[in-house]
Amino acid sequence: MSEDLNSPDAAKPKTSFGFAPVGEDAKQGLVNEVFAKVARSYDLMNDLMSGGLHRLWKSDLVSWLAPPKGAVPYALLDVAGGTGDVALRVLEASGPRSSAVICDISAEMIAVGRARAASEGERLSFVRGNAEALPFAKASFDAYTVAFGMRNLTCLEVALAEAFRVLKPGGRFLCLEFSSVEVPLLDTLYDAYSFNAIPVLGGLVAGDSASYQYLVESIRRFPDQKSFTRLIENAGFERVRYRNLTGGIAALHSAWRL
Ligand code: SAM
């Protein structure tokens, strides 16, 4: 389909929603619709789709983060934290003076997270907000985590600049995200599984195959390990490193705001 260069939309900057090019002002609304629809079955679907692997990957994130176990104050911000998986794990692994804020744009995901974390008390709080305009003062947090959230954002550069802004000097950035498979054969198998099985599973369990088609497509649109490393460096972070998980199906990126 050719684009009408005279149409008012032609000049608008484009991003993508899965494989579909969309205007930057349209993407967030589409993403919000996805998470409003899948929120109630989100945790179950994660286990089913990944065969439980996402739990191991999140444990890898917490191990690499290595939050302090002693009685020192430690403030974590978990962006796009959804139903709370990462923040709850970090709190479990860290000392009594640690606290976590989950910031997510979806009221529906936050509602599921709040119900799940009811016994956490004051150490955990939820804030509705946008990763690209975080509602926090500069230098507020010791660590910033984001798991499977970056892929859904409209502008990675803006979100990374926000991550840098809210971290204290000496603060740590850790991102867990689907990435590019770097093992021959595994890439073919993974493609076949994800494009065929995941949307079907989403239809059966969440009653919504389109949202899971978006999930699979958005993974293919996300920058690979090295490109994402460069974006993180461009935001001002230092000592940027990554680790592949399960052959690169997912990757952890670590960086420091020094
Ligand atoms: N981090 C959780 C996990 O690993 O289970 C949830 C990840 S879920 C795939 C993606 C989350 O990103 C959703 O909860 C969604 O509402 C959130 N999200 C999407 N766009 C966002 C934005 N601009 N700012 C903050 N959160 C956003």
Side-chain angles (χ1 to χ4, degrees):
M1 195 171 64
S2 68
E3 201 177 356
D4 174 4
L5 295 176
N6 294 321
S7 87
D9 283 347
K12 281 191 183 168
K14 290 273 196 299
T15 179
S16 63
F17 177 72
F19 287 164
V22 295
E24 282 185 356
D25 51 358
K27 177 167 176 174
Q28 190 67 61
L30 295 167
V31 167
N32 293 351
E33 278 175 30
V34 165
F35 289 101
K37 279 193 242 164
V38 304
R40 282 155 59 90
S41 46
Y42 177 80
D43 290 317
L44 173 63
M45 271 301 289
N46 271 355
D47 278 334
L48 293 176
M49 279 186 306
S50 72
L53 267 179
H54 77 105
R55 293 172 181 255
L56 301 181
W57 296 337
K58 285 168 180 162
S59 297
D60 286 337
L61 182 158
V62 177
S63 302
W64 203 6
L65 182 65
K69 293 197 184 303
V72 288
Y74 181 73
L76 169 78
L77 174 64
D78 184 37
V79 170
T83 60
D85 251 7
V86 167
L88 287 168
R89 280 159 198 269
V90 174
L91 286 179
E92 199 180 295
S94 58
R97 294 183 64 198
S98 300
S99 61
V101 177
I102 290 176
C103 177
D104 197 286
I105 205 164
S106 164
E108 292 82 358
M109 291 290 279
I110 286 179
V112 175
R114 276 212 172 100
R116 191 180 157 194
S119 60
E120 273 306 311
E122 286 178 1
R123 289 215 300 164
L124 181 64
S125 53
F126 289 83
V127 172
R128 193 162 173 217
N130 189 336
E132 295 176 51
L134 290 170
F136 307 106
K138 69 176 185 184
S140 297
F141 296 96
D142 298 294
Y144 172 117
T145 53
V146 56
F148 306 117
M150 281 280 163
R151 204 181 64 243
N152 298 293
L153 305 180
T154 302
C155 184
L156 293 178
E157 288 85 350
V158 173
L160 289 168
E162 279 294 86
F164 192 85
R165 183 183 66 79
V166 300
L167 276 171
K168 296 176 187 172
R172 181 85 179 276
F173 169 90
L174 258 179
C175 172
L176 170 60
E177 189 50 271
F178 290 108
S179 200
S180 292
V181 178
E182 294 186 333
V183 177
L185 198 61
L186 180 62
D187 52 355
T188 317
L189 290 171
Y190 175 60
D191 267 1
Y193 168 72
S194 38
F195 280 104
N196 296 307
I198 289 181
V200 173
L201 206 55
L204 291 173
V205 178
D208 179 14
S209 61
S211 291
Y212 284 90
Q213 181 70 29
Y214 157 72
L215 168 93
V216 174
E217 292 180 1
S218 66
I219 292 170
R220 288 356 184 245
R221 282 282 174 269
F222 194 71
D224 66 18
Q225 289 86 333
K226 292 194 170 68
S227 309
F228 190 45
T229 297
R230 279 193 293 277
L231 288 180
I232 299 169
E233 285 168 346
N234 291 344
F237 286 98
E238 293 182 47
R239 292 164 57 191
V240 187
R241 307 274 183 274
Y242 74 84
R243 290 179 183 171
N244 280 339
L245 305 175
T246 319
I249 291 180
L252 274 172
H253 280 78
S254 161
W256 295 84
R257 185 241 198 278
L258 294 178

